[in-house]
Amino acid sequence: MTPLERAWYQGAPWLALLQPLEVLYRGVVRRRRAAYRQGRREVWQPPVPLVVVGNLSVGGTGKSPLVAWLAEWLVAQGWRPGIVSRGYGGKAPGYPLLVDAETPVAHSGDEPLMLAQQSGVAVAVDPRRPRAAHALIEARGCDVLLADDGLQHYALGRTLEIAVVDGQRGFGNRRCLPRGPLREPLERLAAVDALIGNGGLDPLCENDAPGVPRFVMHVRPRAWRHLLSGATRPIETPPFATDAPVEALAGIGHPQRFFDTLTALGVTHRARRFADHHAFSAADLPAGDRPIVMTAKDGVKCRGFADERCWVLDVIAAPDAGFEQWWAACVEQWQRRA
């Protein structure tokens, strides 16, 4: 967590000095959204259902594991889902970029490649998300689309909006950038179709988005995976001694969640924090012979220079039964309209 993020979530008094910038930012956000809603800016509505999984806060909240779960659920029901992403951290030779398991991470960005490898469904990257969506429909025959992030990308029309909130950190000081972590004011939540708390819902959020369905999910460890060979081990049988410290690397939005998971699994570790979307290099791998454990998101960036010590902790989203029932009802409505 950067010093500024720490200030947002600890309510540092000096952030009040940034109020004029926050007022300016809120005004820009409000005018931009109004331009799309009033037709002064173009919105492309895809001919198939599109679900945006996004958040209001800067940083990770657990969107990608939920997108992977939704894709897996849709495949099991006979749909052909595709995933749309901006591809943050990547720079492709051309766009839209259709991502598969072998796409260079430098082209796709870490999260799209991770989702392509985990879900096995079609993934397309483009800073202009409507082009990515169009490519998935035309080139891959997708009949439903999932947008990983993009709640604020109004040029892409959507059927549903799901907002994910970090159940531990909530919305911090509940202020907009740069005074707080919010990309949009909290009243934006009243317009989403569902609010889902990763790890629970902060009691302070109880009065936000009145009338919007609210659910809880947990991101649970799924398996240990050797980064080079791809061999997996059950989560109950770690491939290394748990009483001796392992090196734990995390370059994600909320790295403490990863370290807390290792602790809950009984894995003694030395935590090494990196910025979200950190561009890993061989120099970031600790020297010595201790096992190295990292997230799947970091693993896609380290595979090219990893050694035999490197393991990934794969995770899976586990929404509550209420969310699954709500989601199934939404999909049933699409089927009736088709």
Side-chain angles (χ1 to χ4, degrees):
M1 188 180 293
T2 67
L4 182 57
E5 289 174 325
R6 195 171 298 111
W8 289 339
Y9 289 99
Q10 294 178 354
W14 65 265
L15 289 171
L17 298 173
L18 300 178
Q19 182 180 5
L21 293 177
E22 180 196 15
V23 171
L24 178 63
Y25 176 86
R26 288 171 67 105
V28 171
V29 167
R30 189 178 299 111
R31 288 192 297 273
R32 180 176 176 273
R33 184 163 185 243
Y36 283 105
R37 297 181 71 183
Q38 296 167 8
R40 290 182 283 114
R41 286 194 175 187
E42 184 179 358
V43 177
W44 183 74
Q45 185 67 49
V48 301
L50 186 142
V51 181
V52 170
V53 181
N55 64 338
L56 249 59
S57 305
V58 173
T61 57
K63 299 183 302 296
S64 295
L66 180 59
V67 169
W69 182 90
L70 293 171
E72 188 174 305
W73 191 96
L74 287 165
V75 169
Q77 299 299 314
W79 291 77
R80 297 187 305 278
I83 298 173
V84 175
S85 175
R86 186 203 180 285
Y88 186 84
K91 187 174 182 181
Y95 292 104
L97 174 68
L98 293 171
V99 181
D100 60 35
E102 302 304 320
T103 299
V105 68
H107 293 173
S108 65
D110 48 22
E111 288 175 343
L113 182 56
M114 177 189 72
L115 285 168
Q117 293 178 349
Q118 288 181 340
S119 69
V121 307
V123 178
V125 163
D126 197 317
R128 291 165 57 184
R129 289 176 176 87
R131 289 195 309 194
H134 189 269
L136 287 171
I137 297 169
E138 293 298 317
R140 295 291 185 264
C142 295
D143 54 10
V144 59
L145 301 176
L146 304 169
D148 184 29
D149 206 1
L151 196 62
Q152 293 79 32
H153 195 87
Y154 294 116
L156 181 61
R158 64 281 315 262
T159 310
L160 288 177
E161 292 182 329
I162 300 172
V164 183
V165 58
D166 188 313
Q168 293 181 2
R169 300 189 298 176
F171 298 113
N173 62 6
R174 305 169 74 81
R175 299 286 185 173
C176 284
L177 292 166
R179 189 179 177 185
L182 298 184
R183 305 179 191 181
E184 293 184 281
L186 281 174
E187 54 261 32
R188 171 69 172 86
L189 290 177
V192 305
D193 297 283
L195 180 66
I196 185 163
N198 180 9
L201 278 170
D202 188 325
L204 292 176
C205 301
E206 287 184 359
N207 296 323
D208 297 317
V212 174
R214 309 160 69 84
F215 308 101
V216 171
M217 76 171 188
H218 295 275
V219 177
R220 304 192 189 282
R222 190 175 202 172
W224 304 101
R225 174 167 52 86
H226 191 249
L227 188 53
L228 291 184
S229 70
T232 60
R233 294 278 296 272
I235 203 66
E236 299 81 10
T237 57
F240 40 74
T242 57
D243 55 350
V246 302
E247 303 285 358
L249 279 60
I252 57 176
H254 187 191
Q256 190 57 47
R257 187 183 297 278
F258 173 65
F259 302 132
D260 289 345
T261 299
L262 292 178
T263 299
L265 292 171
V267 177
T268 305
H269 61 278
R270 189 168 90 171
R272 294 177 176 266
R273 292 174 172 82
F274 297 85
D276 194 14
H277 300 288
H278 175 71
F280 280 91
S281 68
D284 293 318
L285 298 184
D289 56 4
R290 289 178 177 175
I292 299 172
V293 182
M294 63 189 72
T295 70
K297 178 177 167 179
D298 297 324
V300 298
K301 291 179 288 189
C302 295
R303 193 172 188 277
F305 49 81
D307 57 39
E308 292 294 330
R309 299 173 296 156
C310 296
W311 289 83
V312 166
L313 176 61
D314 283 327
V315 299
I316 185 171
D320 62 24
F323 178 82
E324 186 165 2
Q325 292 166 4
W326 174 85
W327 172 245
C330 292
V331 175
E332 185 178 349
Q333 288 183 356
W334 305 340
Q335 291 172 320
R336 287 202 299 264
R337 293 172 187 166

